[in-house]
Amino acid sequence: PAGSQLAVLGANGSGKTTLMALLLRLYDPTNGTIEIDDTDIRSVTLASLRSQIGVVLQDTVLFATTIGQNIAFGRPDASPDEIKAAAEAAQIQSFVEGLPEGYETLVGERGVTLSGGQKQRIAIARALITNPRILILDDATSSVDARTEERILSTLRHTTNACTTIVIAQRASTCKDADAVVVLEDGRILAHGTHEELLTASDLY
């Protein structure tokens, strides 16, 4: 449902990233359909579909420019307040504002001056600032500690204006506050339910 948070859990090779690729129409299903609001996503333009979806990958790419410009990459006209709000939602605001140059701090090519967790949180802020209707986090919190991950996911739930969030994960702790969890294995749905339900109903979970 719109505005809900879905967690997709599975080991490497279970089909999690394939699912994301299908949602983005990097390729189309050979059978069946994918629908958003009862509309086959093949019936709309790629530009229209992808403009509604924000994606944060595990392997984050940052550019050799300022932190602020990295966050505003998808919305170059974003105001300083909007950049700050996105950073706050991604739990990176206090780190950035503690730097001598703040949002004007330059990062090295591919963000070499930052830790993995800092890069991922900047990438999450970059996705949020575009105000996507659907946000996909592809193992995007794997480089942050469990408490930071929990704060990020909780903030997303309360501040993304009915954004539907799909959290692709490899650890069950990521899924505990999701509205629903889907467990994948070998490209198939092995189980689905809430975190509490799956703890008792699914041996794999």
Side-chain angles (χ1 to χ4, degrees):
S4 64
Q5 195 170 94
L6 171 71
V8 181
L9 185 76
N12 286 331
S14 61
K16 305 186 303 296
T17 300
T18 299
L19 180 63
M20 180 192 71
L22 287 166
L23 285 168
L24 291 168
R25 285 198 67 198
L26 299 180
Y27 41 82
D28 287 324
T30 52
N31 293 292
T33 61
I34 298 174
E35 298 179 357
I36 298 174
D37 291 338
D38 299 320
T39 299
D40 188 331
I41 62 174
R42 290 174 291 192
S43 69
V44 300
T45 66
L46 285 176
S48 174
L49 174 69
R50 293 173 183 170
S51 70
Q52 305 297 315
I53 301 176
V55 181
V56 184
L57 303 174
Q58 181 180 10
D59 185 16
T60 299
V61 176
L62 297 183
F63 305 101
T65 182
T66 68
I67 290 176
Q69 287 172 329
N70 267 287
I71 293 174
F73 180 75
R75 274 197 56 211
D77 61 336
S79 70
D81 284 344
E82 289 172 321
I83 293 171
K84 182 176 178 179
E88 186 173 6
Q91 300 292 308
I92 192 68
Q93 177 194 8
S94 59
F95 165 75
V96 176
E97 294 183 355
L99 296 170
E101 301 295 326
Y103 291 94
E104 295 303 310
T105 301
L106 290 169
V107 300
E109 192 69 41
R110 296 183 62 84
V112 294
T113 58
L114 303 171
S115 72
Q118 290 160 354
K119 288 191 289 185
Q120 284 187 321
R121 282 178 281 169
I122 290 172
I124 291 170
R126 183 166 62 193
L128 291 176
I129 205 167
T130 64
N131 195 27
R133 300 305 302 273
I134 298 173
L135 177 66
I136 302 173
L137 303 178
D138 187 3
D139 216 14
T141 56
S142 60
S143 291
V144 300
D145 61 81
R147 288 188 63 189
T148 300
E149 177 185 65
E150 186 174 344
R151 288 198 300 268
I152 290 171
L153 295 178
S154 176
T155 302
L156 291 178
R157 178 183 292 279
H158 294 105
T159 64
T160 49
N161 300 323
C163 172
T164 303
T165 308
I166 300 173
V167 182
I168 297 174
Q170 293 191 56
R171 58 190 183 194
S173 62
T174 305
C175 310
K176 63 189 180 76
D177 293 323
D179 296 300
V181 182
V182 170
V183 182
L184 296 182
E185 186 176 54
D186 296 328
R188 297 182 179 278
I189 295 175
L190 206 68
H192 63 89
T194 65
H195 173 71
E196 291 77 15
E197 290 168 347
L198 291 174
L199 282 176
T200 57
S202 171
D203 291 337
L204 179 63
Y205 191 74

